[in-house]
Amino acid sequence: MPRIGVFICHCGENIGATVDAAAVAKAAGELPGVVHAVDYKYMCSDPGQNLIKEAIREKKLTGVVVGACSPRMHEPTFRRACAEAGLNAFLCEMANLREHCSWVHEKLPETTEKAIDLVRVMVEKVKRNRPLFPINVPITKTALVLGGGIAGIQAALDIANAGHPVVLVEREASIGGHMAQLSETFPTLDCSQCILTPRMVEVAQHPNIRLYTYSELESLEGFIGNFKAVIRKKARGIDEATCTGCGACIQKCPTKKIPSEFNAHLGHRTAIYVPFPQAVPNKPVIDRAHCTYYRTGKCKLCERVCPTKALRYDQEDLLVEVAVGAVVVATGYEVKGTDFFPEYGYGRYKDVITGLQFERLASASGPTLGAIRRPSDGQVPETVVFIACAGSRDPAKGLHYCSKICCMYTAKHAMLYKHKVHHGRPYVFYMDIRAGGKMYEEFVRRAIEEDQVSYIRGRVSRIYEKNGKLIVKGVDTLLNSRPVEIAADLVVLATAMVPQPDAEALAQKMKISYDGDRFLNEAHPKLRPVEMNTAGIFVAGACQAPKDIPETVAQASGAASKVIGLFSKDELSREPVVAVVNRTAPPLFSTCVGCFLCETACPYQAIEREEIKDRNGNVLKTVARVNQGVCQGCGTCVALCRSKSIDLQGFTNEQVFAELVAL
Amino acid sequence: MKLGYFPGCSLESSAREYNESLQAVAPLLDLELCEVPDWNCCGATAAHSLNHKLALALPARTLALAERAGFDELLVPCSACYSRLAATRRDLLANEALRQEITSIIELDYVGSTKVVSVVDVLGRAAPTIRAKASVPFLRKVACYYGCYLTRPASLTTCARPEDPQEMEAIVASAGATPLDWAFKIDCCGAALSVSRTATVAELAGRIVADAAERGAEALVVACPLCHTNLDLRRPAIERHRGVSYALPVLYITQLVGLALGLSERALGLHRHHVPVRFAPGAAAPAAAPKEN
Amino acid sequence: MSSASHAAPHAPTFPERVREATGESVFQCYQCGKCAAGCPLAAEMDYTPNQILRLLQLNLPEMEEEALRALSIWLCLTCETCAARCPQEVDIPKIMDHLRQESRRRGLVHPKAKDILAFYESLLASVRKGGRLHEVGLVASYKLKTGHLLQDVLLTPQLLQRGKLSLRPHKVADTDAVRRIFDRCDAAAPENKADHA
Amino acid sequence: MEFAVSAFEPKLVAFVCNWCTYAGADLTGTSRIKYAPNVRLIRLPCTGRIDFMLLLQAFGKGADGVIVSGCHPGDCHYTAGNFHARRRWTLFRRLLDFVGVDLRRVHFAWVSAAEGAKWAELVNDVKTKIQALGPYDAFPKRLDGRPQPAEVA
Ligand SMILES: Cc1cc2nc3c(=O)[nH]c(=O)nc-3n(C[C@H](O)[C@H](O)[C@H](O)COP(=O)(O)OP(=O)(O)OC[C@H]3O[C@@H](n4cnc5c(N)ncnc54)[C@H](O)[C@@H]3O)c2cc1C
Ligand SMILES: Cc1cc2nc3c(=O)[nH]c(=O)nc-3n(C[C@H](O)[C@H](O)[C@H](O)COP(=O)(O)OP(=O)(O)OC[C@H]3O[C@@H](n4cnc5c(N)ncnc54)[C@H](O)[C@@H]3O)c2cc1C
Ligand code: SF4
Ligand code: SF4
Ligand code: SF4
Ligand code: SF4
Ligand code: SF4
Ligand code: SF4
Ligand code: SF4
Ligand code: SF4
């Protein structure tokens, strides 16, 4: 038999002035199952809570209903009080007599009647409450960081410095990402590599970081605190332990004319190569698609010159399994190529280049050692046209968003050009200048005022080549849309920032969500900007949306602190409001018919499949099982299950129907 | 192969030689052209500038007649007409209510079964035949001019790269010519303003002729009577406007193909041009050209 | 659902009527100017294509009239260059067509566009008569309408000599059918009567 | 605010999500905005939790009108829960229609945690509408007390 206690609060005048609290308590006392009902001026005060505690002990209550304010206000208070008195916290419910009754209705008999109704409903519900216990899940305190750009580097270092092991996986032969390719960075114009390289070295030397370069994520299974990741370590063709990074092989390799990815195809590299001199690790890889030995069976020059005999031509990919408790995705972005622009020549004109290529031209470590020379003939361009929003904000080309950083880097490029070619004439075609950030507007003004970069408001319609010049046809919309034609020596397109080509596939592999542009979707744009919907997976950097380095680093530290927060406990404790599939203990039986409608509905992928076997191990049927570590308790599955096999603890079908009946 | 044929108004008069050369070339490429019985004018820019319904109804009548005659494809050599007919077909197929309204205006049923194709589409398919039969390869540098309607709008063009189309280039190359890379192949020549604003045309067409000439073209190649009028017939206005004279003939692509196939200048109507079709002595002079290979 | 509605019934605005007639929204344009940059006629226009759209975006009666009085709308050649490159996929030529019809209906045609209009009207008159265009007849009628007697006269004998002009019009067999099409289209939009012949 | 002492005071049941509409109704309270006392709230974690049977049961137990309200599309605390709910609501309507429920008695709405006034408006509005329709006697009531989900299932 249930033994329910009801406690009605006056909240001073707040409830008491409109609702006859004593009458409510009296009516409650007459409800079946209620063995104790009182009213009191301030229930949440210490004496108020003591009333409840004493009643639990003395009347051996099996459930408590507090008729007071909104449960959003004091449910934790009263649940704690119950627990202190030895009653399971989840056997306490609140009836909202203040926000939903006394404050919104007149002092009329109906109002007190409504208050009685609200209490009755909760009494019926609480009779069906079951003791629940917070869910504890153990945590593997190792983090996986995917992507070794500045975002991944920052996150890995923050987590490692907090004392937790980190597995950092980078697809390319070196970490560094796009930041390693940049010349100088806005708004301070400090040298990108100078600030990045020390951090790369720190990663390599950090005792808590295990670095896998030239590696990719093969699969990810499990849930928050308990993931299992398989990493594919692609065959480098050398033994990393033996190689000293002397570079003799690279110097001797006869296959030299391969466009260098690091130099955005403006320079060349060999078949055995490190992407750039400051690479971490500074150990080469063999590009098998281009290597003469792999293509023809002859060469092995590199092996002959290697002083340590480090080459391993028959090396195979290695699969490594790691157990991790959290994942940070930091896989970055890609820029659109010039072939994306039909009206600008489909990438046919050598002197129409991307912003990223300009970075390489301006970089001291680039193919021209920092001199601005155009690709076609190596001449110093006298007139350079920069085109902003190239591909961004262009729904006709399928990209409607603003890439956010190009206004800034275009101003930077024009400035760097002017600093290097004093008599040069830089023009920028733009639509809007978006320079919201600390010292950003000032930076753009400097480009215009001090370096006399001519900004022209208008979009370029077409570029064609004539007599060695690139004819750029635009207008100035600030001059009555007058046609402006500029004969340029070099054109730089601020091409759009887009996700990595495999962003979608990676997201699907990890079961995380992405938006229509294939950028990863954070859990909430304002309040959970570094978490993914899937618990235990976090996001940092340009893989989530276009962003610059300061924002990337801030987000990476945010993601890292979430991971560190998660790792600060040994177990995860969660509210037990989770779904369960019904089960009668042995022999295991469930009414679940295995339709897996729940699986399709669950926004968190919390539904797993479980085989029910007989004693001989034969599969009887496959039923749903809720992973309680993942379930967030939304109840969508419950509404969908036709056989009523899945239920939500705390809001069970039985409880909710009882509420309805009591109305 | 049998094709429905819609010459359009100008091929009956000012662009006779386009018609003549097309008719002359067709049999050599195994094309049988069957004129649509009782076709009418497409209404051109005038109709869609003044009356939206008429701009659909006029082309629709011809399309319906072609459909009734059972053609799979309707060849429309004038690219302006091509654009009007193809756009009408597109619009009527996309909008059932409109289709019904227009069929009742034209008193003919129309379901859109006949595809509209251009000369460039058809010659493009015949390129291997042209290559095989080119007895007098046209060994000259040419600038292929597409104008507006072969490459725009995106919903109608059959060019794979509308900002830098290569389809005409492939055809002239199969006839032995060397197509040039130049800047104005898809720029507008002034089309329908030819009569009402000749000065405008002199400026627009002038830029086209000038760029082709400056890049060393020996001929301009077109596939549209309007383009031809503006680049050939309006040449005096162009030359007055720019103060330069250009000895750059303008050939219909069918004429160029015809020359390569060994047809006579007269059969191809070259004598009807305003700018004389004469070439500096070179690798090959048309018609009289010695057999090269 | 009890969300308050701000949409009180109102007479359609001009941009709404443009949208109704063409399916195009002038508000889609973000004034980048790419259309003007590529338009072959921009240098001669009193308002570049984006400026025409801007006039309409303001949604003020006097601006709307200014757009309808513009010479630009008659200079537009429907070359589709603007539409092909517009990042916002605005079909400007389609809007221009509508503006021409509206301008003519409201009697706002720019004085300098009278020639162009006369040419279009002559052309359609010629087609109405014979189902096909008769170039000699067209040029003659155009010249009568505009008084430009000398223009092109020099060219005509050349054309005749080259056998390119025929003095006798080619006609369709069923001229009545064509005439009925004209009549019906005129009836559908009497204010846009195809020709004033 | 005064309420006309009309003959018929309808019984309204509102199914609301914890994060948006329940909190919105709390705000109505803290803002002291008055509304008709006819409504009884059933708090659920998410509108995704609401199923067809709950609606039927509400009518079965004497409700004259039902309100279903949650977060605005895209604001769901559970990212997709209300999206599922929305998709199902269309289905619900057909099912309810099929079993003979008067669709004018079911009101779907979005009320966020910041829309206290909107909640009051919604309740008053629905009350007036249901009042106009009169008591829902046509629906077979089972007021016999014990909750028996099986009997409706
Ligand atoms: C032309 C240009 C100029 C710029 N100039 C500036 C500037 O001056 N100042 C500024 O603040 N910002 C600038 N930026 C922006 C800056 O480059 C980015 O903000 C920053 O690089 C983002 O870092 P990230 O780590 O998120 O991405 P990335 O640098 O792209 O790094 C991602 C890393 O992940 C790796 N990866 C990708 N997929 C996988 C996978 N599946 N598995 C494993 N590894 C993977 C990649 O190889 C890469 O190393 C500029 C950008 C451009 C295009
Ligand atoms: C008109 C307007 C509209 C906006 N709209 C949006 C929007 O739609 N979306 C959006 O994302 N952002 C919007 N914002 C921006 C948003 O308000 C801020 O990003 C955000 O509030 C910043 O939060 P904060 O905590 O840093 O600062 P604050 O909100 O300013 O909080 C600072 C707190 O610190 C307290 N404090 C100050 N000094 C002391 C001290 N010495 N000791 C103790 N306490 C102190 C203050 O009292 C205050 O409570 C808007 C801003 C404005 C002005
Ligand atoms: S429990 Fe709630 S209603 Fe009661 S006094 Fe405290 S705040 Fe007021
Ligand atoms: S074997 Fe391959 S990598 Fe080595 S030197 Fe030869 S080409 Fe270069
Ligand atoms: S020569 Fe040998 S040791 Fe030196 S970098 Fe190459 S592989 Fe490494
Ligand atoms: S940041 Fe500037 S240049 Fe880049 S897309 Fe946005 S507005 Fe255009
Ligand atoms: S919906 Fe219900 S029956 Fe179907 S799999 Fe899920 S729990 Fe089992
Ligand atoms: S309650 Fe929600 S999160 Fe949990 S299993 Fe069901 S649908 Fe998934
Ligand atoms: S190109 Fe398009 S968006 Fe740009 S100004 Fe012209 S119409 Fe507007
Ligand atoms: S269609 Fe008209 S407005 Fe557009 S580019 Fe051509 S002439 Fe200019």
Side-chain angles (χ1 to χ4, degrees):
Chain A
M1 264 308 281
R3 299 176 58 80
I4 310 295
V6 177
F7 303 86
I8 306 298
C9 182
H10 292 244
C11 200
E13 292 282 284
N14 283 310
I15 296 173
T18 321
V19 168
D20 183 346
V24 176
K26 186 165 176 292
E30 286 157 17
L31 294 172
V34 175
V35 296
H36 181 75
V38 292
D39 57 302
Y40 185 71
K41 213 160 185 66
Y42 297 108
M43 228 35 161
C44 59
S45 65
D46 274 349
Q49 291 190 44
N50 283 334
L51 279 180
I52 300 174
K53 290 185 195 170
E54 279 160 23
I56 291 173
R57 292 194 196 101
E58 283 163 18
K59 300 275 170 83
K60 308 240 169 313
L61 299 183
T62 61
V64 163
V65 172
V66 186
C69 48
S70 169
R72 297 169 53 85
M73 174 107 187
H74 270 315
E75 194 174 71
T77 314
F78 295 119
R79 286 197 164 163
R80 205 177 319 118
C82 289
E84 279 163 16
L87 183 71
N88 183 285
F90 296 90
L91 298 176
C92 168
E93 295 283 351
M94 288 186 75
N96 189 340
L97 304 189
R98 194 177 74 177
E99 282 83 347
H100 290 186
C101 192
S102 68
W103 276 349
V104 291
H105 305 312
E106 304 293 331
K107 183 177 193 300
L108 288 170
E110 292 97 290
T111 307
T112 298
E113 272 167 40
K114 177 171 176 178
I116 296 169
D117 274 359
L118 295 181
V119 170
R120 185 173 56 239
V121 164
M122 278 307 146
V123 168
E124 286 308 319
K125 180 178 185 194
V126 87
K127 283 185 194 165
R128 291 161 180 82
N129 281 17
R130 302 269 170 277
L132 297 176
F133 302 92
I135 296 168
N136 291 330
V137 197
I139 300 170
T140 311
K141 295 188 189 179
T142 298
L144 171 67
V145 176
L146 282 181
I150 184 60
I153 290 173
Q154 180 71 29
L157 286 174
D158 282 358
I159 299 168
N161 285 336
H164 304 294
V166 175
V167 177
L168 176 57
V169 176
E170 164 60 51
R171 180 161 61 189
E172 301 299 328
S174 168
I175 57 172
H178 283 97
M179 188 171 166
Q181 292 176 278
L182 305 182
S183 52
E184 291 166 12
T185 54
F186 62 75
T188 43
L189 290 189
D190 39 10
C191 151
S192 187
Q193 287 208 339
C194 311
I195 51 181
L196 178 65
T197 321
R199 317 226 83 186
M200 290 166 58
V201 173
E202 206 182 328
V203 165
Q205 296 174 346
H206 205 293
N208 282 342
I209 299 180
R210 221 179 332 150
L211 179 58
Y212 290 96
T213 52
Y214 212 51
S215 302
E216 281 177 42
L217 181 73
E218 184 78 7
S219 67
L220 182 76
E221 278 165 26
F223 53 91
I224 182 167
N226 299 278
F227 293 104
K228 190 183 86 188
V230 177
I231 296 159
R232 175 178 292 272
K233 205 170 157 356
K234 292 179 282 183
R236 267 183 124 91
I238 59 143
D239 178 38
E240 280 176 84
T242 321
C243 169
T244 59
C246 71
C249 51
I250 300 171
Q251 275 170 357
K252 284 288 167 338
C253 176
T255 314
K256 294 187 190 304
K257 285 283 171 197
I258 307 163
S260 151
E261 295 84 357
F262 181 75
N263 280 327
H265 297 101
L266 287 181
H268 294 113
R269 64 162 170 83
T270 42
I272 186 165
Y273 72 104
V274 290
F276 52 103
Q278 303 81 353
V280 167
N282 204 342
K283 311 269 165 97
V285 294
I286 302 181
D287 168 3
R288 295 191 179 189
H290 289 101
C291 163
T292 312
Y293 169 66
Y294 285 104
R295 286 179 39 228
T296 67
K298 292 214 178 61
C299 184
K300 293 203 175 179
L301 215 63
C302 43
E303 184 172 53
R304 242 181 294 152
V305 299
C306 175
T308 60
K309 297 288 159 250
L311 282 118
R312 301 285 182 276
Y313 297 105
D314 50 5
Q315 201 176 52
E316 285 177 2
D317 289 5
L318 208 67
L319 294 180
V320 189
E321 190 182 306
V322 291
V324 296
V327 184
V328 176
V329 190
T331 48
Y333 68 100
E334 214 40 81
V335 295
K336 279 281 179 197
T338 50
D339 52 352
F340 188 62
F341 300 89
E343 65 274 47
Y344 305 157
Y346 291 101
R348 280 194 315 142
Y349 306 131
K350 277 194 178 158
D351 295 328
V352 177
I353 62 171
T354 65
L356 198 57
Q357 289 177 315
F358 190 88
E359 292 286 344
R360 296 313 301 146
L361 286 185
S363 167
S365 70
T368 57
L369 304 176
I372 308 293
R373 297 181 178 283
R374 64 184 203 167
S376 64
D377 56 7
Q379 293 296 308
V380 175
E382 310 275 315
T383 302
V384 181
V385 166
F386 296 89
I387 300 181
C389 304
S392 311
R393 307 176 68 194
D394 193 337
K397 288 200 166 53
L399 301 178
H400 53 86
Y401 58 85
C402 162
S403 290
K404 199 171 179 184
I405 55 160
C406 10
C407 276
M408 288 307 294
Y409 77 59
T410 296
K412 174 182 79 176
H413 289 171
M415 227 182 220
L416 291 177
Y417 167 64
K418 196 67 185 170
H419 293 173
K420 296 188 182 215
V421 184
H422 300 300
H423 64 288
R425 278 192 305 254
Y427 296 93
V428 177
F429 281 95
Y430 74 103
M431 293 207 294
D432 303 279
I433 301 176
R434 297 188 172 166
K438 196 168 182 165
M439 297 306 287
Y440 282 19
E441 173 64 12
E442 294 88 330
F443 183 80
V444 175
R445 290 313 309 168
R446 216 163 82 216
I448 295 172
E449 293 168 17
E450 286 174 27
D451 294 313
Q452 300 180 18
V453 179
S454 307
Y455 271 69
I456 303 171
R457 195 198 171 282
R459 239 180 140 114
V460 170
S461 172
R462 186 155 90 94
I463 297 172
Y464 63 88
E465 187 263 310
K466 190 149 187 180
N467 303 331
K469 293 274 183 187
L470 292 160
I471 313 297
V472 180
K473 285 185 61 167
V475 288
D476 190 337
T477 59
L478 303 181
L479 255 188
N480 222 2
S481 291
R482 184 181 302 175
V484 175
E485 241 181 59
I486 295 176
D489 301 305
L490 180 70
V491 174
V492 184
L493 305 182
T495 62
M497 236 172 157
V498 293
Q500 296 279 354
D502 64 339
E504 202 169 346
L506 183 70
Q508 284 164 355
K509 195 182 279 175
M510 303 180 71
K511 300 192 198 71
I512 53 183
S513 72
Y514 49 94
D515 62 26
D517 299 309
R518 301 183 304 117
F519 285 111
L520 298 179
N521 254 352
E522 67 282 17
H524 189 286
K526 293 191 182 61
L527 300 179
R528 295 169 68 199
V530 303
E531 295 161 72
M532 307 292 303
N533 300 322
T534 309
I537 303 187
F538 305 89
V539 65
C543 55
Q544 181 251 333
K547 50 174 76 73
D548 59 16
I549 296 165
E551 258 192 280
T552 297
V553 172
Q555 197 184 19
S557 286
S561 72
K562 285 281 171 189
V563 173
I564 298 164
L566 178 65
F567 289 178
S568 67
K569 294 175 232 111
D570 296 322
E571 286 190 322
L572 264 163
S573 176
R574 304 196 32 243
E575 271 235 359
V577 178
V578 291
V580 282
V581 177
N582 64 19
R583 205 53 68 81
T584 52
L588 274 177
F589 176 75
S590 171
T591 57
C592 168
V593 300
C595 68
F596 294 103
L597 276 177
C598 50
E599 190 182 27
T600 62
C602 176
Y604 300 94
Q605 281 86 37
I607 305 283
E608 297 174 341
R609 290 168 185 244
E610 180 185 22
E611 291 176 342
I612 294 191
K613 295 181 179 151
D614 66 11
R615 230 174 299 220
N616 305 325
N618 301 318
V619 177
L620 294 175
K621 64 175 177 176
T622 308
V623 298
R625 178 179 60 192
V626 177
N627 184 327
Q628 302 201 328
V630 181
C631 171
Q632 302 289 314
C634 68
T636 306
C637 53
V638 181
L640 233 69
C641 178
R642 300 211 187 106
S643 65
K644 296 283 160 244
S645 307
I646 194 164
D647 215 339
L648 184 64
Q649 296 190 151
F651 295 91
T652 60
N653 278 318
E654 196 194 0
Q655 289 171 305
V656 180
F657 276 104
E659 288 184 52
L660 281 171
V661 169
L663 275 174
Chain B
M1 177 169 183
K2 202 166 154 168
L3 285 170
Y5 182 47
F6 170 76
C9 307
S10 39
L11 271 79
E12 288 199 325
S13 51
S14 60
R16 270 182 78 162
E17 68 275 32
Y18 193 11
N19 194 18
E20 287 162 357
S21 54
L22 178 54
Q23 300 276 11
V25 162
L28 300 181
L29 302 178
D30 304 319
L31 299 170
E32 189 190 335
L33 305 184
C34 311
E35 196 162 320
V36 176
D38 208 37
W39 60 265
N40 58 269
C41 171
C42 70
T45 322
H48 68 89
S49 289
L50 302 190
N51 187 314
H52 176 63
K53 288 277 149 59
L54 190 66
L56 291 168
L58 288 175
R61 178 171 180 273
T62 300
L63 287 170
L65 291 172
E67 184 172 289
R68 190 200 267 178
F71 302 124
D72 292 335
E73 289 185 327
L74 176 63
L75 173 60
V76 185
C78 166
S79 52
C81 301
Y82 165 81
S83 181
R84 296 319 316 156
L85 266 66
T88 301
R89 177 169 185 265
R90 175 199 63 194
D91 290 354
L92 297 191
L93 285 183
N95 184 339
E96 177 55 21
L98 189 63
R99 188 189 68 82
Q100 287 185 5
E101 185 186 353
I102 298 295
T103 52
S104 76
I105 290 179
I106 62 176
E107 302 165 9
L108 289 166
D109 205 14
Y110 176 65
V111 296
S113 60
T114 306
K115 252 191 85 190
V116 183
V117 293
S118 71
V119 158
V120 173
D121 294 334
V122 170
L123 291 185
R125 287 186 299 212
T129 320
I130 298 173
R131 192 182 304 279
K133 294 191 179 175
S135 53
V136 195
F138 189 80
L139 301 171
R140 303 246 166 223
K141 285 188 256 173
V142 303
C144 294
Y145 176 68
Y146 291 77
C148 302
Y149 300 126
L150 288 173
T151 59
R152 293 183 292 267
S155 61
L156 295 181
T157 184
T158 50
C159 292
R161 284 157 53 108
E163 290 281 350
D164 180 29
Q166 296 296 333
E167 283 75 3
M168 285 174 82
E169 277 78 353
I171 297 167
V172 299
S174 72
T178 307
L180 291 175
D181 189 14
W182 64 305
F184 284 84
K185 54 171 128 168
I186 59 163
D187 279 38
C188 179
C189 66
L193 291 185
S194 190
V195 177
S196 51
R197 285 181 77 89
T198 314
T200 304
V201 170
E203 168 60 24
L204 297 180
R207 286 184 221 163
I208 294 164
V209 173
D211 189 62
E214 285 159 20
R215 294 191 196 240
E218 296 173 85
L220 267 163
V221 182
V222 302
C224 172
L226 293 179
C227 303
H228 197 271
T229 303
N230 288 341
L231 300 175
D232 177 72
L233 195 60
R234 296 288 167 206
R235 188 64 61 83
I238 291 172
E239 292 176 345
R240 261 197 314 278
H241 179 71
R242 299 187 73 88
V244 185
S245 62
Y246 301 95
L248 182 66
V250 187
L251 294 178
Y252 283 108
I253 192 163
T254 44
Q255 292 176 319
L256 185 150
V257 169
L259 288 172
L261 296 178
L263 294 168
S264 76
E265 288 195 31
R266 193 137 200 109
L268 297 168
L270 291 186
H271 58 292
R272 298 190 196 279
H273 290 190
H274 174 77
V275 179
V277 186
R278 261 185 249 111
F279 295 103
K291 275 212 148 202
E292 283 281 322
N293 51 344
Chain C
M1 233 139 288
S2 75
S3 69
S5 163
H6 300 284
H10 65 286
T13 61
F14 192 64
E16 280 167 358
R17 278 188 286 138
V18 171
R19 182 168 201 164
E20 169 80 14
T22 64
E24 295 294 309
S25 166
V26 297
F27 298 113
Q28 194 107 343
C29 166
Y30 56 24
Q31 292 298 329
C32 70
K34 197 175 185 182
C35 49
C39 175
L41 271 304
E44 294 195 43
M45 286 177 165
D46 44 0
Y47 299 89
T48 54
N50 58 310
Q51 290 175 327
I52 293 284
L53 293 175
R54 186 76 196 129
L55 286 170
L56 303 184
Q57 284 174 338
L58 295 190
N59 200 5
L60 295 167
E62 59 279 23
M63 301 293 177
E64 157 192 338
E65 216 178 287
E66 203 169 323
L68 294 174
R69 283 189 195 283
L71 178 59
S72 308
I73 61 177
W74 295 97
L75 289 183
C76 168
L77 291 165
T78 323
C79 74
E80 303 268 357
T81 310
C82 51
R85 295 188 188 139
C86 170
Q88 289 289 97
E89 301 178 282
V90 180
D91 192 336
I92 299 176
K94 209 170 189 180
I95 295 175
M96 292 289 197
D97 270 350
H98 179 73
L99 296 180
R100 281 192 283 262
Q101 296 177 17
E102 188 73 6
S103 164
R104 182 162 168 261
R105 188 176 70 79
R106 307 218 318 228
L108 299 176
V109 178
H110 191 285
K112 286 200 192 149
K114 297 257 150 73
D115 289 2
I116 298 171
L117 179 57
F119 176 71
Y120 291 158
E121 287 174 349
S122 305
L123 190 146
L124 290 185
S126 164
V127 177
R128 180 196 282 266
K129 222 183 274 165
R132 295 185 194 171
L133 186 61
H134 179 228
E135 283 173 339
V136 174
L138 161 64
V139 172
S141 126
Y142 167 71
K143 281 169 203 270
L144 279 177
K145 274 194 166 200
T146 60
H148 297 170
L149 290 176
L150 286 177
Q151 190 198 346
D152 272 5
V153 164
L154 287 175
L155 283 174
T156 320
Q158 283 198 4
L159 287 180
L160 279 172
Q161 182 200 328
R162 293 195 160 83
K164 292 182 103 173
L165 288 185
S166 59
L167 291 171
R168 237 173 350 97
H170 299 263
K171 287 192 172 183
V172 300
D174 195 353
T175 44
D176 265 3
V178 174
R179 201 156 307 156
R180 285 198 299 277
I181 291 177
F182 271 83
D183 290 345
R184 289 199 188 102
C185 291
D186 284 349
E191 67 284 1
N192 291 342
K193 206 163 153 338
D195 53 88
H196 290 170
Chain D
M1 188 180 280
E2 279 185 29
F3 298 102
V5 199
S6 85
F8 167 55
E9 284 299 330
K11 196 169 164 188
L12 305 179
V13 175
F15 295 97
V16 301
C17 79
N18 182 42
W19 308 97
C20 289
T21 305
Y22 194 92
D26 276 0
L27 179 63
T28 321
T30 24
S31 322
R32 312 294 205 276
I33 301 169
K34 303 280 185 275
Y35 59 85
N38 309 53
V39 69
R40 304 289 181 267
L41 276 73
I42 303 286
R43 175 164 77 125
L44 296 168
C46 176
T47 46
R49 167 70 181 84
I50 298 166
D51 81 56
F52 170 70
M53 289 308 169
L54 292 179
L55 300 193
L56 271 193
Q57 179 79 348
F59 286 120
K61 297 302 171 191
D64 300 301
V66 164
I67 295 172
V68 177
S69 178
C71 313
H72 286 262
D75 290 354
C76 179
H77 180 79
Y78 299 98
T79 63
N82 72 351
F83 170 70
H84 279 281
R86 240 188 320 152
R87 274 206 306 201
R88 274 206 319 278
W89 290 352
T90 357
L91 189 69
F92 278 8
R93 293 189 82 86
R94 263 186 277 144
L95 275 172
L96 289 170
D97 196 27
F98 179 73
V99 300
V101 170
D102 180 354
L103 291 182
R104 293 171 301 174
R105 294 178 185 271
V106 190
H107 289 255
F108 294 100
W110 295 307
V111 175
S112 76
E115 295 175 321
K118 185 174 172 189
W119 171 249
E121 246 174 64
L122 175 71
V123 173
N124 290 339
D125 182 47
V126 172
K127 180 196 153 179
T128 318
K129 286 187 174 135
I130 301 295
Q131 247 171 349
L133 293 174
Y136 198 14
D137 294 331
F139 198 84
K141 306 270 155 88
R142 292 188 201 85
L143 291 166
D144 48 355
R146 305 296 311 161
Q148 287 173 320
E151 77 185 36
V152 279

